[in-house]
Amino acid sequence: AEHQHARYNPLRDDWVLVSAHRVKRPWQGQLEKPPPEDVPRWDPNNPLCPGATRANGEVNPQYEGTFVFPNDFPALQPDAPEPGDSDHPLFRAAAARGVCKVMCFHPWSDLTLPLMSLVEIRAVIDAWAELAAELGASYPWVQIFENKGAMMGCSNPHPHCQVWASSFLPNEACLEDRTQQQHLSQYGVPMLLEYAEQEARRKERVVVENTDWLVVVPYWATWPYQTLLLPRRHVCRLQDLHDGERDSLASIMQRLLIKYDNLFEVSFPYSMGWHGAPTGPYLEEDCGHWQLHAHYYPPLPPSRPVRPVIV
């Protein structure tokens, strides 16, 4: 606790330097409160609002809950052509196909998840699970992620997230698949299930908890205020959560995000992403080494976003 040391991150199979003694440095900087946001509840020029016209000319319905639509500027398309053969091993390319969707959490632009009711947050969770199951029937990876706030690169204040389904496993997913498989093979228990049990017992890094869920600052955290959301039960995918777990997930998400907002006295910007067992062809395989979890990354330093959730 008083001296520098390295901590092992078993999910990424790498090491993080912790210089605990540096927190004793005197602070001579200046803290500035950001200007208050003035976001209209409804804006006809905002392409995410009910009834607004998007860039492709389509008009949004007058939705009253969640609203999912294909991303008008997708990073992945289902019919992308093959890149062709490479003439050198240092210049390789491979096919990358997929589907990108946008999900609005609520019809009001001036709300964020911590300001929504538990019933409304539960509706978001149900929509997440439905999309994960629908897209996961065909694609091996379904990434649900939210970049909140302009500081995190979000171009629209309307409460929303993105869902990318890809024909391949991203680097981070491949890495977590390997490390969790190795841990189960070596110790006979899913890594993050054992980790949640350990953190719940030690109570050194727990931020919030309830019957079904635990939020901790991970032992191997790279960023201040980084958190990891974990189920207490062995769960592989979002769509595997039962009703009670979805209700308690809505509650713990609200509590965590309220803590972020209150701590910094601002609608706190972050990047978050759900990681669950691969889907598509992996649905026929044993993915018992996986444990569903969500990463929350704050901005650090404040002038630029942190490492993307999708790598």
Side-chain angles (χ1 to χ4, degrees), residues 25-87:
R25 291 176 301 162
W27 170 255
Q28 295 182 349
Q30 182 174 341
L31 296 177
E32 296 284 357
K33 286 189 176 182
E37 294 183 353
D38 185 18
V39 178
R41 178 154 293 182
W42 183 82
D43 180 356
N45 297 315
N46 186 329
L48 298 187
C49 283
T53 302
R54 302 204 308 274
N56 62 358
E58 293 192 21
V59 178
N60 295 335
Q62 294 292 341
Y63 65 92
E64 298 181 351
T66 60
F67 170 50
V68 179
F69 62 92
N71 193 315
D72 297 327
F73 304 96
L76 294 166
Q77 297 175 323
D79 53 357
E82 293 282 345
D85 295 333
S86 171
D87 62 354

Side-chain angles (χ1 to χ4, degrees), residues 28-296:
Q28 295 182 349
Q30 182 174 341
L31 296 177
E32 296 284 357
K33 286 189 176 182
E37 294 183 353
D38 185 18
V39 178
R41 178 154 293 182
W42 183 82
D43 180 356
N45 297 315
N46 186 329
L48 298 187
C49 283
T53 302
R54 302 204 308 274
N56 62 358
E58 293 192 21
V59 178
N60 295 335
Q62 294 292 341
Y63 65 92
E64 298 181 351
T66 60
F67 170 50
V68 179
F69 62 92
N71 193 315
D72 297 327
F73 304 96
L76 294 166
Q77 297 175 323
D79 53 357
E82 293 282 345
D85 295 333
S86 171
D87 62 354
H88 193 280
L90 294 178
F91 298 90
R92 291 184 297 171
R97 300 183 179 92
V99 173
C100 295
K101 293 182 179 288
V102 175
M103 189 178 97
C104 296
F105 297 152
H106 196 279
W108 294 355
S109 293
D110 58 344
L111 282 189
T112 57
L113 277 173
L115 299 179
M116 290 167 55
S117 70
L118 291 177
V119 172
E120 292 167 336
I121 299 174
R122 167 64 195 267
V124 170
I125 294 167
D126 287 340
W128 281 343
E130 183 177 339
L131 278 170
E134 173 192 335
L135 297 173
S138 304
Y139 290 97
W141 187 254
V142 180
Q143 180 64 67
I144 298 169
F145 66 101
E146 179 192 5
N147 293 327
K148 178 191 169 192
M151 189 179 294
M152 305 308 293
C154 182
S155 60
N156 194 310
H158 195 93
H160 70 285
C161 72
Q162 298 193 51
V163 183
W164 292 8
S166 61
S167 61
F168 57 92
L169 290 187
N171 294 342
E172 201 78 5
C174 286
L175 186 56
E176 290 192 359
D177 185 63
R178 175 176 63 81
T179 56
Q180 290 181 96
Q181 201 163 37
Q182 288 174 345
H183 187 93
L184 180 64
S185 176
Q186 184 173 357
Y187 298 105
V189 61
M191 177 200 296
L192 291 181
L193 180 63
E194 182 178 14
Y195 178 67
E197 292 172 350
Q198 284 289 320
E199 289 285 23
R201 181 177 62 82
R202 295 168 186 256
K203 295 191 179 299
E204 297 174 1
R205 286 166 291 274
V206 175
V207 179
V208 284
E209 61 181 324
N210 60 24
T211 303
D212 300 309
W213 298 89
L214 187 74
V215 176
V216 301
V217 174
Y219 176 75
W220 52 82
T222 304
W223 311 110
Y225 309 105
Q226 172 185 340
T227 53
L228 184 63
L229 172 58
L230 297 162
R232 294 182 186 269
R233 178 177 72 90
H234 185 205
V235 183
C236 289
R237 302 177 178 95
L238 265 172
Q239 53 267 43
D240 298 334
L241 297 173
H242 58 60
D243 280 346
E245 289 169 330
R246 296 186 186 195
D247 286 337
S248 57
L249 175 57
S251 175
I252 205 163
M253 284 174 53
Q254 184 189 62
R255 290 171 60 196
L256 170 64
L257 297 177
I258 286 174
K259 282 183 176 291
Y260 272 135
D261 285 0
N262 288 347
L263 178 63
F264 293 95
E265 299 179 356
V266 67
S267 184
F268 191 65
Y270 59 80
S271 285
M272 73 81 64
W274 282 103
H275 287 187
T279 48
Y282 294 89
L283 292 172
E284 304 300 322
E285 299 184 8
D286 181 5
C287 290
H289 54 287
W290 268 90
Q291 176 74 328
L292 177 70
H293 59 283
H295 298 278
Y296 282 84

